[in-house]
Every structure is written in structure tokens, then in C-alpha cells.
Amino acid sequence: MLKQLLAIKHPQAAQADADSLQLNRTLGPWGLTALGIGAVIGGGIFVITGQAAAEHAGPAIILSFVLAAICCTFCALCYAEFAAMVPVSGSAYSYTYATLGELAAWFIGWMLVLEYGVSASAVAVSWTGYFLSLLDHFGIHLPAALVNAPLDGQLKPTGAIMNVPAAAIVLALTWVCYVGIRESASANAAMVALKIGLIVLVIFAGWQYVNPANWEPFIPANQGPGKYGWDGVLRGASMVFFAYIGFEATSVAAQESKNPQRDMPIGMLASLAVCTVLYIGMAAVMTGLTPYNLLGTNEPVVTAVASHPELSWLRVVVEIGALIGLSSVVLVMIIGQPRIFMIMGRDGLLPPVFTSIHPKHRTPHINTIITGVGIALLAAVFPLDILGELTSMGTLIAFAAVCGGVWILRRTQPNLPRPFRIKFAPLICLAGIVSCMILLSTMTAHNWALMIGWTLFGLIVYFGYGYRHSRLRRS
């Protein structure tokens, strides 16, 4: 049994299996970069930034973004080497299978459900806040019971029924993903262009009204664990890390890339660089427009803009742009999650229904429907704080595994062709692992309890189905 749990799948075998799925290869470097930006810029910049500044980092949220970006850079380099060497759709799951064995691969695949599926739910919940703010302009007010989660951050009943708008946007975008990757990528590219234009507009328009006094003190005095000071900056970094997840979403579309060995590294590193610059600019403007302690709302960008009557014209633009930006994140995550399930199903760890490909659209259609309905249910029931922090935890664990996998494969398979090869690999991999562990160490005991529960549920699924049906085990 131990031998099976530690069995690895050679990268070339993973490539051969992936080629048998016959997905359409339609994405170039710009399409992949847009896919990455579409996944990254969303709930983080439009919601989490304000909450992290108000509750943890203050104006030093800018430093939190820099620290999170450094961690992501180490991980992006490792992802780029793996993605160029093993261009398959399983992302960190496939990379872990090739280096750490089947049980570890299952564990990482289960963490990726948090990164893609749960994060899509979190962003959909954020979408609701801006949607309600936009409706307010027209005097439309939906019943509170239909726009809030029935559970709070401690999983206690709130009296609400469900978050209907969040579930509705997820189901609508699931249909877009159902009809094809080309259509999904085109819709995403249009939304990416619009939201980048919006962010640049907010930065330039808002900069004229920035009050430097709002940046003082830049790092507020510590008021307890994770509350301001350098401890708060680190806690803020672990929160805004949520804002960066998705740069590696390009790796789940590897089998739909025209030239994955060349284009995958370009897509990941370019999207990370663009998003980092935009995040720092947006965080500086938001904390400069209004005191940081007022930004802990469901729509902090609107809060910052509304504090200056001269920028009232920008409010509706921000609300519409935020809705578009958040929609593109949900879209990319719905593209990514079914493709990870598809690879796990191909390996026998999930039922065969997850590998079914639509004869016309060439998409994992049944898988997409199952994933979309699951994401919609999570968005309808759970609040943003639980969904967002669980997403960050799952992503950090997956990133650390990828960094470790590159290091291991350099030792165990030194002669494998590596179209993209990072320099100083041991140092970069170690830096990626350590930075992920530091950010994980700032999570609360409540979050760790939820993570343990999620992990145990995943192990029940694996030993109940995956272990007995594993193709690697049967072969």
C-alpha cells in the first residue's frame, strides 16, 4: 500500500496521456497572458485590498503586495519550468504526481479545488457587493435574505436564505465555458481589456486627490497579533496573496496552447508582472484617498472614490468595471477547475464522467456543469472571509509543492528536456517554499481547523474511490 501511495508518474507518461484527450489548441502567448490577468485581477484588488488595509496592514498594504509578489515570483519561475517541461492541464497536481507520488498528488489536487473552485465562489460573493451598489443608483433594493450568505464566518446562521446574485453569475459564466475555450478566451480578453482600462483610469484620476497625510503612519503601531505593525504587514500579505492566485491558471490550459513550451512561461511571468504594478498603484491611491480604517467594506474602491465629491462621476464606472473584472476571474476559474478534474479522472482518481469531452465544442462539458453547480452552491451559502482565506491556504500549499517538485526532479531526472530552465534552482525553490510557509504561519487556528476538515474529507474520497481505481495502481 505504501508503495502505491508513493508511486510516481513519469512526466513523459503524463504527456502521452494528455495528448490522448484531443483538446483544441487555440491559445497563443497573448491569449495565455490575458487568461492569467483575467484570473488575477478581481476579488483581490476590488475587495480584499480594503479589508486587509483596514484590519491588518494600514497604508503598508503596499508592502504586503510587494511581499506577496516576491513569494509569487519564486513560485512562478518554478511553475514556468514545470509547465514548459510537462505541458499538461493538471497544473500542480500533474507536477506533484511526477515527483512526490500519488497520495501527495491527490492532496495537491484537492488543494487546487480551493484555489480554483472555492476562489471562484469567493469572487462571486464579491461581485454581489458591487452589483447591489450599482442597483442602488436606480433605486432598486433586493431583499437582504436573498443577497447574503445564510452562514457567517463562524458558520453560524445569519437568517438569510442564500446569495442569489452570486450563484446566478456563476451559472451564467458556466454556460460560456461549456460552449468552448475559444469563446471563453475571447470573452475573457474583452473583459481583461476593460478592467485594466478601469484600473488605470482610477489610478490617474484618483492620484490628483490623494492626501499624503492618510499614509501616516505608514506602518501603524501594533495592536495585537496580526493587527498592524510588521506582524500586520505579514498578515496582510497572506490575505492579499488571494489577489495573486491565478497567474498560474495559464498552466491548466497547456493542452489548449499552440506552443506551450514557449508560451506558458511568457503567459505566467507577464501576467504576474502586469498585475503587480497595477496592484501597487491601486493600493496607493485607495489608501491615499481615504483613511485606511474606512476601507473595510464590501466595495472598498467605491468607498475610496465616494469620499471625494469631485470623483462622483467615477463611481458608476468603478461599479461597472468591477462587475466586469470580477466576472472575468470567475470565468477563468471555471475554465481551470474542470480541466484539473479531467486530468484526475484520466488517472482514475475520479469517475470517468469527469473525462468526457463534448463532440462539438471539445470541452469537458459534463465536468464543467458539475463544477459550475458546485461553485454556485458555495457562493450562495458561505461568506467571503471563509472562502477567501481557505483559497489562500490551498494555493500556498500547492505552490510550495511545485517548488519542491522542481527541486526533486532536478535530482531524480536531471536529463529531462527543459525548454525553460531556471537558474540557481535550489535557491529559488527553497525561497519559494520558505516564503509560502511564512505566509501560511499567519493563518488563524479557525482557518487551520477548516483546512484539516477539508483534507480529511478529501482523504475519504481518495481511499473510497481513487485508490481502488487508480490507473497507475492497476498497471
Side-chain angles (χ1 to χ4, degrees):
M1 181 177 182
L2 182 62
K3 182 179 179 181
Q4 167 61 25
L5 296 179
L6 298 178
I8 65 171
K9 185 172 186 177
H10 194 279
Q12 292 178 347
Q15 179 67 66
D17 282 348
D19 290 341
S20 67
L21 292 175
Q22 299 181 340
L23 297 175
N24 283 340
R25 294 189 177 274
T26 60
L27 300 176
W30 295 113
L32 290 169
T33 300
L35 203 64
I37 295 173
V40 173
I41 297 180
I45 198 167
F46 291 117
V47 179
I48 300 296
T49 301
Q51 295 180 351
E55 300 171 11
H56 300 289
I61 189 66
I62 296 171
L63 295 181
S64 297
F65 272 116
V66 172
L67 292 175
I70 291 172
C71 174
C72 288
T73 299
F74 294 138
C75 299
L77 290 170
C78 295
Y79 257 100
E81 177 167 319
F82 251 138
M85 182 172 58
V86 191
V88 298
S89 292
S91 185
Y93 161 78
S94 295
Y95 309 153
T96 306
Y97 214 156
T99 54
L100 301 177
E102 183 173 286
L103 180 60
W106 170 266
F107 173 71
I108 295 303
W110 200 243
M111 292 300 104
L112 290 177
V113 177
L114 297 178
E115 180 180 352
Y116 289 92
V118 177
S119 73
S121 301
V123 174
V125 173
S126 304
W127 189 92
T128 299
Y130 283 92
F131 179 65
L132 296 178
S133 180
L134 181 63
L135 291 183
D136 184 59
H137 286 290
F138 303 98
I140 301 174
H141 303 283
L142 300 180
L146 298 180
V147 296
N148 289 292
L151 299 175
D152 65 11
Q154 301 300 318
L155 300 182
K156 297 178 180 178
T158 63
I161 299 175
M162 64 183 297
N163 190 333
V164 174
I169 187 62
V170 170
L171 294 176
L173 293 173
T174 297
W175 176 81
V176 176
C177 295
Y178 179 93
V179 299
I181 186 67
R182 184 189 298 274
E183 292 77 8
S184 302
S186 298
N188 176 68
M191 288 189 282
V192 166
L194 286 171
K195 69 180 175 182
I196 288 179
L198 164 73
I199 292 170
V200 172
L201 176 63
V202 171
I203 291 173
F204 279 94
W207 195 262
Q208 306 173 56
Y209 301 96
V210 162
N211 180 6
N214 288 330
W215 293 331
E216 299 176 3
F218 187 67
I219 303 179
N222 183 261
Q223 298 179 13
K227 188 75 170 179
Y228 306 131
W230 278 104
D231 191 34
V233 172
L234 282 176
R235 182 74 178 90
S238 68
M239 282 190 69
V240 300
F241 187 84
F242 175 83
Y244 283 104
I245 66 167
F247 72 85
E248 84 297 348
T250 57
S251 67
V252 302
Q255 288 171 245
E256 288 145 301
S257 170
K258 296 176 183 177
N259 186 356
Q261 283 83 2
R262 182 200 67 180
D263 297 344
M264 301 301 292
I266 293 174
M268 277 187 278
L269 295 172
S271 60
L272 180 60
V274 170
C275 293
T276 299
V277 172
L278 294 176
Y279 278 166
I280 292 173
M282 192 71 150
V285 168
M286 287 172 62
T287 54
L289 286 175
T290 192
Y292 62 86
N293 59 328
L294 301 179
L295 292 174
T297 65
N298 289 332
E299 55 281 331
V301 182
V302 168
T303 301
V305 169
S307 64
H308 291 267
E310 302 89 345
L311 294 175
S312 58
W313 61 273
L314 195 55
R315 178 175 175 177
V316 176
V317 176
V318 167
E319 289 165 344
I320 295 175
L323 292 176
I324 294 171
L326 295 171
S327 297
S328 73
V329 178
V330 176
L331 176 69
V332 173
M333 294 306 178
I334 297 175
I335 290 173
Q337 183 64 73
R339 283 152 180 80
I340 293 172
F341 281 156
M342 178 181 67
I343 299 300
M344 295 174 75
R346 179 206 62 198
D347 291 334
L349 304 186
L350 289 175
V353 67
F354 286 93
T355 64
S356 178
I357 303 295
H358 194 284
K360 176 183 177 182
H361 302 305
R362 309 307 302 168
T363 58
H365 57 305
I366 299 176
N367 188 351
T368 298
I369 294 173
I370 294 172
T371 300
V373 171
I375 292 172
L377 288 174
L378 288 175
V381 173
F382 292 99
L384 176 63
D385 51 354
I386 285 182
L387 296 171
E389 298 205 9
L390 278 178
T391 297
S392 293
M393 293 181 76
T395 306
L396 285 165
I397 293 170
F399 282 9
V402 169
C403 294
V406 168
W407 198 351
I408 291 171
L409 212 57
R410 284 289 186 97
R411 300 293 297 274
T412 60
Q413 301 283 345
N415 298 321
L416 278 177
R418 290 173 169 82
F420 179 84
R421 188 182 184 93
I422 58 176
K423 297 181 179 180
F424 310 109
L427 180 61
I428 296 296
C429 294
L430 181 61
I433 294 171
V434 170
S435 57
C436 287
M437 293 299 106
I438 290 174
L439 294 182
L440 277 170
S441 69
T442 67
M443 295 296 181
T444 65
H446 178 65
N447 290 334
W448 279 109
L450 292 174
M451 175 60 71
I452 291 172
W454 175 254
T455 302
L456 291 176
F457 178 53
L459 291 175
I460 292 172
V461 175
Y462 172 71
F463 286 106
Y465 183 89
Y467 176 78
R468 294 183 294 109
H469 293 84
S470 167
R471 284 184 58 194
L472 192 63
R473 176 172 179 264
R474 287 183 294 176
S475 64

